[in-house]
Amino acid sequence: MNKKSRAFAVVDALYICMMILPIVAAIVLKVLTTPQSSGITITGAQIYATIPMPIQDLKITASQINSWLVMISITGLCLYITHGLKTKNISKRQHLAEWAVEKTEALVRDGMGEYFMGFTSFIAAVLALSAFSSLLSLFGLFPPTSDINVVAGWAILVFFLITYYKFKCGPISYLKSFAQPVALTPLNVISEVATPISMAFRHYGNVLSGSVISVLIATALQGLSNIVLGSLPGFLGDFPFFQIGLPAVLSIYFDVFSGLLQAYIFAMLTMMYVAGAFPMEEYFERKEKKKNKKTNKTNLEVN
């Protein structure tokens, strides 16, 4: 192996460590800080530290820590699959990177139109962050998508984007949009405020409910196993036979399928709301009028 190949392998190893080590760190942190408990325990994100602040204390929770660790892992994954890009004899990971880019571009093109193709990176980030955050539950970690504060932050960001594109035609046009028709003005105002709330609670509620249902069913199966088979001799009476199989199947649905589905739904709603909020025809018509007005003014000054 020559010097260039060794350097390439070392960089690859660093990117792989960047993907794996954050998850390992999150597991170690949970093992070291989680108190022992018995029975059913369904709680929110664990609080690791509290920083005194003037108005309200800032709590450092598992959802915040895990969110940052997921972002580091995603960054490592992106760097790994895009390392050593070539135009010929491309590697499998480059195939994967190109496939992801093409699929995301197609998703944005179909959902928002050519004008919004610059949103490709943003939608890819939303999909990756949401999906990988939900998949943390497979490692026994608290998924940030089960924290309403995290998902609400994403929804508020989307709300700012919606408002920004509504303001593209000016504040007067923005205010007029609430009175179309006039009779539904109160409902239009409520709908504007309800958009980020509905996005946040839909994502948060589905992910959290899946985790709660999985825990309840697993605990119920353990109790049923003790009742039915508890009279067996030795360790056989204590072994939860009924927990074999079904919890794993439920985990595939709630932790994998449902998590990926909610990530896709959140991204689709983001595209739909942002693209639907932009009065494109009015914007370009207004832009054309400004251009013509400026051209006419320039011609008058020349004459």
Side-chain angles (χ1 to χ4, degrees):
M1 183 181 292
N2 56 37
K3 186 176 180 180
K4 186 176 181 180
S5 299
R6 285 198 298 270
F8 189 89
V10 169
V11 174
D12 267 357
L14 291 175
Y15 291 154
I16 292 173
C17 291
M18 194 174 177
M19 286 188 284
I20 297 174
L21 290 182
I23 308 302
V24 175
I27 295 172
V28 172
L29 182 62
K30 180 180 179 180
V31 171
L32 294 178
T33 58
T34 303
Q36 292 184 352
S37 60
S38 59
I40 300 176
T41 55
I42 301 175
T43 60
Q46 183 179 350
I47 300 174
Y48 292 130
T50 301
I51 302 175
M53 301 293 286
I55 299 176
Q56 184 178 1
D57 292 344
L58 175 63
K59 291 180 171 56
I60 307 300
T61 66
S63 59
Q64 296 168 323
I65 299 296
N66 291 347
S67 292
W68 278 100
L69 294 176
V70 166
M71 286 189 283
I72 294 172
S73 293
I74 292 173
T75 303
L77 175 62
C78 293
L79 292 172
Y80 177 75
I81 64 176
T82 56
H83 184 216
L85 297 179
K86 297 182 292 185
T87 56
K88 295 181 180 180
N89 300 322
I90 62 178
S91 60
K92 292 181 180 179
R93 61 173 124 170
Q94 185 171 339
H95 274 295
L96 177 62
E98 292 178 356
W99 175 83
V101 171
E102 290 171 359
K103 290 299 181 182
T104 310
E105 286 181 345
L107 189 67
V108 174
R109 186 178 291 107
D110 294 339
M112 304 182 78
E114 290 290 339
Y115 181 84
F116 291 95
M117 288 307 295
F119 267 75
T120 301
S121 299
F122 178 76
I123 296 301
V126 168
L127 284 167
L129 183 57
S130 178
F132 281 91
S133 295
S134 298
L135 292 175
L136 281 185
S137 57
L138 293 174
F139 301 96
L141 299 171
F142 183 85
T145 45
S146 290
D147 190 334
I148 185 62
N149 299 290
V150 172
V151 185
W154 302 350
I156 291 172
L157 175 60
V158 173
F159 177 73
F160 285 152
L161 289 172
I162 294 170
T163 306
Y164 169 77
Y165 278 97
K166 281 189 174 182
F167 264 95
K168 278 279 193 176
C169 292
I172 303 299
S173 176
Y174 174 72
L175 294 175
K176 283 182 178 179
S177 65
F178 291 106
Q180 296 176 355
V182 177
L184 296 180
T185 299
L187 291 178
N188 290 335
V189 174
I190 294 173
S191 175
E192 188 79 359
V193 178
T195 296
I197 297 175
S198 64
M199 289 184 70
F201 275 96
R202 179 186 289 108
H203 197 319
Y204 154 77
N206 281 283
V207 175
L208 180 63
S209 62
S211 301
V212 172
I213 291 172
S214 296
V215 172
L216 291 176
I217 291 177
T219 305
L221 289 173
Q222 181 181 7
L224 181 62
S225 181
N226 290 335
I227 293 172
V228 176
L229 304 176
S231 59
L232 293 176
F235 77 95
L236 295 176
D238 298 327
F239 189 83
F241 286 98
F242 289 174
Q243 279 189 332
I244 299 175
L246 184 57
V249 174
L250 292 175
S251 178
I252 292 174
Y253 174 77
F254 289 119
D255 296 334
V256 180
F257 175 74
S258 182
L260 297 179
L261 178 63
Q262 293 308 315
Y264 177 77
I265 291 174
F266 192 90
M268 291 298 295
L269 289 175
T270 298
M271 293 189 292
M272 182 183 71
Y273 285 138
V274 173
F278 181 45
M280 189 175 296
E281 293 182 3
E282 184 181 348
Y283 172 75
F284 283 112
E285 183 179 347
R286 185 181 179 186
K287 194 174 181 180
E288 187 66 24
K289 286 181 180 179
K290 285 185 177 180
K291 183 179 178 181
N292 293 335
K293 186 177 180 180
K294 186 177 181 180
T295 303
N296 293 334
K297 185 178 180 181
T298 303
N299 292 336
L300 289 175
E301 291 177 352
V302 171
N303 295 332

